[in-house]
Amino acid sequence: MPPFGTPPAYSTPATLGLALLALLTALWHFTLGALDYTNAGRYEGLALMLLAGLMLVYGILTLIRYVEARDAMTDPHPRTAMYATVHQRRVPLIGLGLAVLLCLADLAFAVSAQVPFWHVAGLLLAVLLARQALRIRPERGEDEL
C-alpha cells in the first residue's frame, strides 16, 4: 500500500500522459493502416487499423480513469476506496502489450518498405507508449487488497 497522502496512481500526470500518448499513437497507426490498406494489402491494413482501434479504446478508458480519479480526490463522501485497486497493475500491462504489438507491426511494415519513414515514426511513438506504461506500474505488492 502506498504511503498515506500520496495521490492514487490513476490521478497522476503520468497517467494523463499515457492516455494522451495512447490516443495520439492510435490515430497515427489508424492513418498508417488506411495508407497500408491501399498500398500493402487489404488484410495487413485492416490488421493495423484493428490494433489502432484497440489502442484508441485503451486511451479513452485510461483518460476516463484519470478524470474519475481526479474527481474522486475532491469527493467529500467517497463511496469506494481510492487505494489498493486490484486492476492497477493490469492497466499498464495491457498498454504495454498493445504497444509491443504495434512495434512489431511497424517493424514489419518498415522492413517491407511500405512508407518506412512513417512507420519508423510510429515505432517511436509505440516505444514511448511502452516506456510510459512501464513508468506508471505500481511496485509489486502496492495494489494487493
Side-chain angles (χ1 to χ4, degrees):
M1 185 155 243
F4 185 71
T6 57
Y10 290 131
S11 68
T12 61
T15 302
L16 176 63
L18 176 68
L20 295 177
L21 192 57
L23 293 174
L24 177 66
T25 303
L27 293 175
W28 185 271
H29 283 89
F30 192 83
T31 303
L32 287 177
L35 291 173
D36 291 328
Y37 183 85
T38 58
N39 294 336
R42 176 178 296 164
Y43 298 113
E44 293 87 354
L46 284 175
L48 189 57
M49 286 192 282
L50 175 66
L51 278 174
L54 291 173
M55 183 60 77
L56 184 68
V57 169
Y58 173 78
I60 291 170
L61 291 177
T62 306
L63 187 62
I64 289 171
R65 285 187 192 274
Y66 170 78
V67 171
E68 285 179 341
R70 296 299 295 183
D71 182 55
M73 289 175 66
T74 61
D75 192 357
H77 304 290
R79 293 172 294 285
T80 58
M82 292 170 53
Y83 295 98
T85 57
V86 177
H87 51 80
Q88 210 165 237
R89 286 187 70 77
R90 294 182 193 133
V91 170
L93 288 177
I94 291 169
L96 180 65
L98 286 172
V100 166
L101 288 175
L102 284 174
C103 283
L104 292 174
D106 279 326
L107 281 174
F109 279 110
V111 168
S112 67
Q114 300 296 325
V115 288
F117 173 75
W118 300 112
H119 280 288
V120 169
L123 177 68
L124 291 175
L125 277 173
V127 167
L128 281 173
L129 180 79
R131 183 176 159 261
Q132 186 71 10
L134 284 174
R135 276 188 53 214
I136 70 164
R137 278 184 59 201
E139 294 296 323
R140 194 114 179 111
E142 280 189 13
D143 61 341
E144 297 171 3
L145 292 173

